[in-house]
Amino acid sequence: MEPRVGLILRTYATDSKDVAGRVATVKDAVERAVRLTIGGYQAIHRIDVLVWADKRFAESDCGYTYASLQSALQGVPDVYLSEVRRGDLFCGLLNYGIALQLRNGMDYSIILSVSARSYFNEPIQKGARAVGVAINELSESIHEGRLANTFCLWDNVALMTVGGFDLRAAKIADHQSGTYILGWSKEMHQMAHYQLSGVEEIIPLARLVENFGPCIAAIDPQGEGVQKYELPDPAQQPELYKRHMSKMATKFERQTVLLASIGVQPSFLQSGLIKK
């Protein structure tokens, strides 16, 4: 029997003025997924759209996105919308999504950032425990084994076997009690800081390699057309732009710290890459 593949999309709008734009990007990502076929058959069997609505976090959804998505996605087959009111954006939300997909018979789950949806235009490889698409903006690090949930496929049973997305990478609601990592942003020409959270992929990737040996793969983007991660507009969305740049400027440092917490160096992930 052919493996069943699901898709998980996360979204939220902290400000109500951003709802329409977020809904449009999610709808576009869903339509791309629905059109994707392998051998004439639909490639994606289930799509879970998760609206982050945990009010413990000041940045979570303003409360209008879920209803707007209900209207926008009405009638689209195999699309399921959830308003998740408990769980951080990184680990809690994704563990919930993986659990939903496992319960509904998905062998693999693709986690895709809607900002990277232009890359979602060709079937991706299966067979490894985790497969990351080396989007242009993160190509070097992904080819070194540090896959990213910007666009990543996971073997759901293997992921759960190693504990899912480790809560060490969870977002902390209380900013004052969180640990922050410093890095240098070339784009902003200044120091950047970001909470020690996110990069939730990094610990389970190491655990997969510890348990299964070489089992992760990095593949280059496939298909034609312009493929680009959509950045927030620095003029229209200065705070979102600054947050994204700070996130990118500290990504490797955060990965390194979280791997060190389980006694692993980043280079260990290179040993887990499946040889071509």
Side-chain angles (χ1 to χ4, degrees), residues 2 8 77 87 104 133 186 194 198 213 223 244:
E2 280 293 311
I8 297 172
N104 287 280
V133 175
K186 292 184 290 186
Y194 196 86
H244 176 79

Side-chain angles (χ1 to χ4, degrees), residues 168-188:
R168 273 176 266 210
K171 185 175 179 64
I172 305 298
D174 179 6
H175 292 285
Q176 292 182 334
S177 65
T179 300
Y180 285 81
I181 300 296
L182 288 174
W184 176 257
S185 173
K186 292 184 290 186
E187 292 78 10
M188 297 192 295

Side-chain angles (χ1 to χ4, degrees), residues 143-158:
H143 276 297
E144 290 175 352
R146 303 193 308 278
L147 312 187
N149 274 337
T150 311
F151 194 165
C152 195
L153 175 142
W154 298 86
D155 178 323
N156 286 334
V157 171

Side-chain angles (χ1 to χ4, degrees), residues 69-100:
L69 281 170
Q70 277 186 313
S71 176
L73 299 176
Q74 188 174 13
V76 182
D78 303 315
V79 177
Y80 301 88
L81 183 62
S82 300
E83 188 174 43
V84 184
R85 299 182 180 180
R86 277 298 186 188
D88 78 286
L89 177 62
F90 305 124
C91 303
L93 203 65
L94 289 179
N95 283 335
Y96 177 76
I98 295 290
L100 271 181

Side-chain angles (χ1 to χ4, degrees), residues 117-138:
R117 64 192 184 281
S118 62
Y119 288 94
F120 197 68
N121 57 8
E122 286 287 334
I124 69 174
Q125 296 174 2
K126 299 186 291 291
R129 308 292 181 174
V131 180
V133 175
I135 70 169
N136 300 327
E137 295 78 4
L138 294 172

Side-chain angles (χ1 to χ4, degrees), residues 190-218:
Q190 64 184 48
M191 292 298 295
H193 71 283
Y194 196 86
Q195 194 179 91
L196 181 56
S197 61
V199 295
E200 69 281 346
E201 319 91 344
I202 207 73
I203 290 178
L205 284 171
R207 296 296 192 202
L208 286 172
V209 176
E210 287 175 341
N211 277 265
F212 301 105
C215 65
I216 59 178

